[in-house]
């Protein structure tokens, strides 16, 4: 078992969350279970899944096979758009808990805002009630922009514990991150490695990685940590899982941070994408 566990951040609910997590999309079934076990062996304690990933059963098996006590783990899952509003959240959460083999989740997120009829506002209030019952420790959201956050806070007076959004070197999202970080909500970054689609081979990251004797993936993840953003990288490869978890004993200089900030293309990424209809 790895000795170096990630430090934690205190959420506005009073619970602590590890400062990095393991992403499980698109793993399924036994592959998912064994990746969760190797990720936990690599030092991860926070595991990210979603009803829409169809892998909560695999995650649950991996958690069980890890042999770790429940209180040592931090498990996140997410409410799908089709389960938002109309009192449907309770059944969705109970189904997720059953698949995960858990009696509570540490963090439950609204996967995407469902903007056509603002069902996410209703869903958020339902999740806060389920948290009062002890089925959820912290309630958060995902893929929420400023206007979505404003609506749920205006309706309930309660800021979400977390907003999980796409952030990575070319999708820096400076304004949204700054606005969220002015509140008590913690930013979590999905696709922090851009699914290894090119930025990890950029001269900027390569030069920094060579100097620090780490990988370009570690540099990208550390850049997020230094912005107080919690990355949740995915890897099916145990060696890369270890590497991606090992980001807490080196630092980037101010000029490294500026050089990586300059990779931002101001792209909107997937936040406006239609893919959320499925989520
Ligand atoms: N809330 C949302 O709407 C949302 C949306 C998308 C994703 N997510 C969550 O965020 C997690 C992470 O995002 P993601 O899976 O889209 O992308 P990602 O973590 O940026 O990239 C994963 C890909 O990068 C490769 N990789 C991992 N570590 C690497 C390294 N050190 N060097 C080079 N390549 C590396 C992996 O390949 P190998 O497996 O071969 O290592 C995999 O193909 C997901 O698993 C999911 O839990 C949430």
């Amino acid at each position: 078992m790895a000795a170096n566990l990630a430090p934690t951040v205190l959420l506005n609910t009073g619970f602590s969350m590890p400062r990095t997590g393991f992403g499980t999309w698109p793993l399924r079934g036994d592959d998912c279970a064994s990746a969760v076990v190797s990720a936990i062996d690599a030092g991860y304690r926070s595991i990210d899944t979603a009803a829409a990933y169809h892998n909560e059963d695999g995650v649950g098996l991996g958690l069980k096979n890890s042999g770790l006590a429940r209180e040592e783990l931090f498990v996140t899952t997410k409410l799908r758009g089709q389960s938002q509003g109309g009192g449907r959240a309770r059944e969705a959460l109970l189904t997720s808990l059953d698949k995960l083999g858990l009696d509570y989740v540490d963090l439950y997120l609204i996967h995407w805002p469902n903007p056509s009829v603002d069902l996410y506002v209703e869903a958020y209030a339902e999740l806060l009630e389920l948290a009062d019952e002890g089925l959820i420790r912290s309630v958060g959201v995902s893929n929420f922009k400023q206007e979505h956050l404003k609506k749920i806070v205006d309706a309930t007076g309660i800021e979400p514990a977390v907003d999980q959004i796409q952030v990575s070197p070319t999708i820096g999202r400076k304004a949204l991150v700054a606005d969220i970080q002015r509140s008590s909500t913690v930013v979590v970054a999905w696709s922090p490695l851009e699914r290894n689609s090119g930025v990890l081979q950029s001269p900027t990251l390569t030069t920094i990685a060579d100097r620090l004797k780490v990988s370009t993936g570690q540099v990208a993840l550390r850049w997020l940590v230094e912005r107080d953003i919690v990355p949740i990288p995915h890897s099916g490869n145990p060696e890369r899982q270890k590497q991606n978890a090992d980001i807490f004993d080196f630092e980037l200089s101010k000029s490294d941070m500026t050089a990586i900030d300059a990779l931002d293309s101001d792209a909107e990424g997937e936040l406006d994408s239609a893919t959320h209809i499925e989520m």
Side-chain angles (χ1 to χ4, degrees):
M1 188 72 61
N4 288 336
L5 297 182
T8 56
V9 56
L10 186 63
L11 301 177
N12 62 11
T13 50
F15 293 101
S16 292
M17 178 175 79
R19 290 188 65 191
T20 188
F22 180 68
T24 64
W25 177 86
L27 296 162
R28 296 260 177 110
D30 288 344
D31 286 347
C32 180
S34 51
V36 167
V37 171
S38 59
I40 288 172
D41 281 346
Y44 288 98
R45 292 295 175 268
S46 170
I47 309 291
D48 180 81
T49 179
Y53 301 168
H54 302 289
N55 68 4
E56 291 170 308
D57 50 351
V59 169
L61 182 61
L63 297 174
K64 185 170 161 230
N65 290 348
S66 77
L68 282 196
R70 174 66 183 94
E71 57 274 17
E72 292 185 67
L73 296 162
F74 186 99
V75 182
T76 301
T77 193
K78 311 186 191 88
L79 180 76
R80 299 187 74 162
Q82 65 196 32
S83 306
Q84 290 178 27
R88 285 186 285 266
R90 173 183 295 277
E91 197 186 328
L93 173 61
L94 292 176
T95 303
S96 289
L97 287 172
D98 186 51
K99 289 184 178 169
L100 289 163
L102 301 176
D103 50 18
Y104 70 90
V105 279
D106 295 278
L107 183 60
Y108 199 43
L109 308 180
I110 296 178
H111 204 145
W112 288 85
N114 202 335
S116 51
V117 278
D118 288 356
L119 285 176
Y120 61 91
V121 180
E122 211 180 304
Y124 185 68
E126 283 173 38
L127 298 196
L128 292 172
E129 282 179 18
L130 294 166
D132 285 343
E133 290 177 37
L135 295 170
I136 303 167
R137 286 203 159 166
S138 300
V139 174
V141 296
S142 181
N143 302 302
F144 275 43
K145 296 202 262 186
Q146 290 91 336
E147 63 264 31
H148 308 118
L149 291 164
K150 181 172 179 346
K151 277 193 185 161
I152 57 170
V153 176
D154 283 352
T156 64
I158 297 178
E159 292 176 344
V162 155
D163 190 1
Q164 185 184 117
I165 56 176
Q166 184 184 22
V167 195
S168 59
T170 72
I171 304 176
R173 248 186 256 292
K174 234 177 170 175
L176 179 57
V177 168
D179 283 344
I180 297 170
Q181 289 183 336
R182 268 190 287 276
S183 75
S184 64
T185 302
V186 171
V187 178
V188 173
W190 60 260
S191 293
L193 302 168
E194 305 194 5
R195 297 180 183 156
N196 195 15
S197 60
V199 78
L200 299 187
Q201 285 77 46
S202 69
T204 303
L205 292 192
T206 306
T207 305
I208 298 169
D210 288 350
R211 194 189 79 239
L212 295 172
K213 299 193 176 24
V214 295
S215 73
T216 54
Q218 287 170 300
V219 172
L221 298 172
R222 181 70 207 184
W223 169 78
L224 288 161
V225 167
E226 303 225 5
R227 292 179 65 194
D228 289 328
I229 298 173
V230 173
I232 51 164
H234 156 74
S235 175
N237 174 310
E239 276 316 305
R240 278 200 287 272
Q241 290 171 1
K242 270 191 210 140
Q243 193 189 101
N244 295 343
D246 187 13
I247 51 172
F248 296 100
D249 61 3
F250 67 95
E251 284 175 9
L252 301 178
S253 67
K254 223 170 172 178
S255 63
D256 293 337
M257 291 298 290
T258 307
I260 302 170
D261 288 347
L263 296 174
D264 193 358
S265 65
D266 286 326
E268 186 50 31
E270 290 184 30
L271 280 201
D272 266 344
S273 130
T275 57
H276 73 271
I277 310 279
E278 298 299 312
M279 295 297 177

